[in-house]
Amino acid sequence: MMMKDKFRLTSILTVLMMVVGVLLPFAELSAQDQTDKTYVFATDTTFAPFEFQDAEGNFVGIDMDLLDAIAKDQGFDYEMRPLGFNAAVQALESGQVDAVIAGMSITDERKQVFDFSDAYFSAGVQFAVLENSEIADLEGLSGNTVAVKTGTSGADTANSLKEEYNFDVTQFEDSVNMYEDLQVGNAQAVIEDYPVMAYAAQTGGIDLRFIGEQMAVSDFGVAVQKGQNAELITMFNDGLNNIRLSGEYDEIVSNYLGEDSGASATTGVISLIQENGTTLLSGLWTTIWISVVSIVIAMILGITLGLLRTSDNRLLEGLAQIYIDIMRGVPMIVLAFFVYFGIPQITGLQFSAVIAGIITLSLNAAAYIAEIVRGGIQAVNTGQSEASRSLGLSRSQTMRHIILPQAFKIMIPSFINQFVITMKDTSILSVIGLVELTQTGRIIIARTYQSGAMWLIVGVMYILIITLLTRLSGNIEKKYIY
Ligand code: GLN
């Protein structure tokens, strides 16, 4: 009896220590985030010429270069998170980031929630169709579908006109998907900020023809939470003033919008790989290390939960069951949004996309690992346990020396399977702006408009790495376990 109690106490303590151990580094990291003076900016993933990745994987564009020049002029440090427009605005609302710079229009509605810097650019939105489309004007949109980007002034304008001109609206998270939808013919028109489409057409990636007039012309500004980071706004405004006077502002803008700006888009699988090889490999590396770290944490948590599921203690067993039900019931994308946007808003604790990604993946995988462990233990013949107990071994000794070694062998193929699933699930984390392999692909498409070739390359990369890793673990399994 005493032995049993001790076993229970140790398992409760172990679980507690693990939870604390897993969460502590995150808490420390977030504390660091708050104390050092690096401002965290969120931006769109792809909004060329304002923000996009060049072939070397650097974030460039009018917004990026202006901010860089202003930060140098004013002497502040910053860090950039390419989240996508809607996610960037959400991140600012929930206090995940200090500011948004993303070709963001200063509107009366947004001014209720955010404080804005002075205007650094001005543009309106316009509808466009493919060059060879039959649609000639806004009346021609009748009965057709217009692709928009969620949460943007383009989307607002389309929604306010859809009844008048009788068209449908489909929403996308980023400009890339919007243009892909147009190119494959699901949508017949798009609406977005004029300079962005003009740039896309100019760089030759996509043949667009504008219809109607520019509408909802507005100023672009940097946004911060209302009443927060006022010093950042002051520095931005002062710096903007200085670089306008020095001529640097004009230089930056004409770099992207001048006569000979904009490299022509690459086509073909080979040249895409040649040009973006290093960027793709760094995306792949992020995918690999995030999945490895997550699976290690998930194994610790999952094995503990799996053991609790098979324990005699009703309370612990029940708690483990509830955990598993919750994690299996919630879609991973919802969990990712909750960890990244929800928790900070509720608790004030902040995580970077990487930490939020690791938490999401490991919490989710732990539930499945727990079930693998329970299944493995239950698959060991009950005769084994009876025999061992009748030989005088205690319950925990039976577990450790008789059941677990046999169960572990049964579990291995399922563990490998779970690792593969977790690795593929990293792609979901692109929604919180984690630049892993899938997000890298999206960002490259934003510059090249080569979705067919790019998704093929990304798909093949996943297949290669996953096949390689499963073969490798299969060999290790044969060598050391059997
Ligand atoms: N200017 C538009 C807005 O503020 C679009 C911004 C964007 O898509 N990055 O809504």
Side-chain angles (χ1 to χ4, degrees), residues 43-47 50-51 63 84-86 89 100-107 110 116 123-125 149-156 173-175 192-193 196 216 218-220:
T43 188
D44 206 337
T45 34
T46 52
F47 199 57
F50 295 96
E51 39 267 334
D63 286 355
F85 186 72
N86 192 33
V89 174
V100 167
I101 183 163
M104 184 169 175
S105 308
I106 306 174
T107 63
R110 289 178 183 157
F116 281 94
V125 295
K149 180 160 56 169
T150 315
T152 62
S153 43
D156 289 347
E173 280 310 305
D174 60 26
S175 304
E192 181 155 70
D193 300 50
V196 176
S218 61
D219 290 329
F220 290 180

Side-chain angles (χ1 to χ4, degrees), residues 96-338:
Q96 273 280 33
V97 296
D98 297 309
V100 167
I101 183 163
M104 184 169 175
S105 308
I106 306 174
T107 63
D108 288 338
E109 212 184 351
R110 289 178 183 157
K111 275 202 268 185
Q112 317 259 320
V113 198
F114 304 120
D115 287 335
F116 281 94
S117 70
D118 292 343
Y120 63 83
F121 203 87
S122 172
V125 295
Q126 193 162 359
F127 286 93
V129 293
L130 285 177
E131 185 68 66
N132 57 11
S133 161
E134 275 160 17
I135 300 171
D137 47 24
L138 297 193
E139 279 72 26
L141 291 175
S142 177
N144 287 308
T145 301
V146 176
V148 306
K149 180 160 56 169
T150 315
T152 62
S153 43
D156 289 347
T157 309
N159 280 321
S160 69
L161 293 175
K162 69 178 180 194
E163 251 121 64
E164 188 182 339
Y165 291 100
N166 183 39
F167 57 79
D168 287 330
V169 169
T170 41
Q171 308 238 13
F172 292 95
E173 280 310 305
D174 60 26
S175 304
V176 185
N177 298 140
M178 214 167 78
Y179 292 118
E180 281 180 319
D181 205 49
L182 179 71
Q183 279 174 310
V184 298
N186 291 334
Q188 288 71 39
V190 291
I191 181 167
E192 181 155 70
D193 300 50
Y194 173 83
V196 176
M197 290 195 288
Y199 188 82
Q202 186 198 339
T203 50
I206 178 166
D207 292 324
L208 291 175
R209 176 161 45 78
F210 291 99
I211 57 169
E213 301 287 309
Q214 261 197 70
M215 289 170 271
V217 176
S218 61
D219 290 329
F220 290 180
V222 164
V224 294
Q225 262 189 338
K226 222 169 179 41
Q228 305 277 315
N229 290 311
E231 75 292 348
L232 180 61
I233 292 296
T234 312
M235 286 192 288
F236 187 89
N237 291 345
D238 291 348
L240 181 63
N241 222 352
N242 291 344
I243 64 166
R244 274 193 206 273
L245 290 174
S246 71
E248 199 175 348
Y249 174 92
D250 289 331
E251 222 172 89
I252 290 174
V253 171
S254 72
N255 241 339
Y256 293 97
L257 297 182
E259 296 279 284
D260 44 31
S261 61
S264 59
T266 326
T267 51
V269 173
I270 304 291
S271 39
L272 271 175
I273 295 178
Q274 276 170 348
E275 228 181 58
N276 304 292
T278 12
T279 317
L280 282 167
L281 284 180
S282 99
L284 177 67
W285 173 239
T286 308
T287 291
I288 296 176
W289 81 256
I290 296 242
S291 7
V292 171
V293 171
S294 307
I295 206 81
V296 169
I297 300 175
M299 284 290 265
I300 300 175
L301 200 63
I303 291 176
T304 315
L305 286 164
L307 290 175
L308 293 183
R309 278 282 281 125
T310 51
S311 83
D312 285 344
N313 186 316
R314 281 290 191 78
L315 179 67
L316 292 179
E317 204 244 301
L319 287 177
Q321 178 68 59
I322 291 172
Y323 176 90
I324 293 167
D325 286 342
I326 293 176
M327 285 305 154
R328 283 205 301 203
V330 70
M332 175 104 84
I333 193 162
V334 175
L335 184 63
F337 282 139
F338 180 73

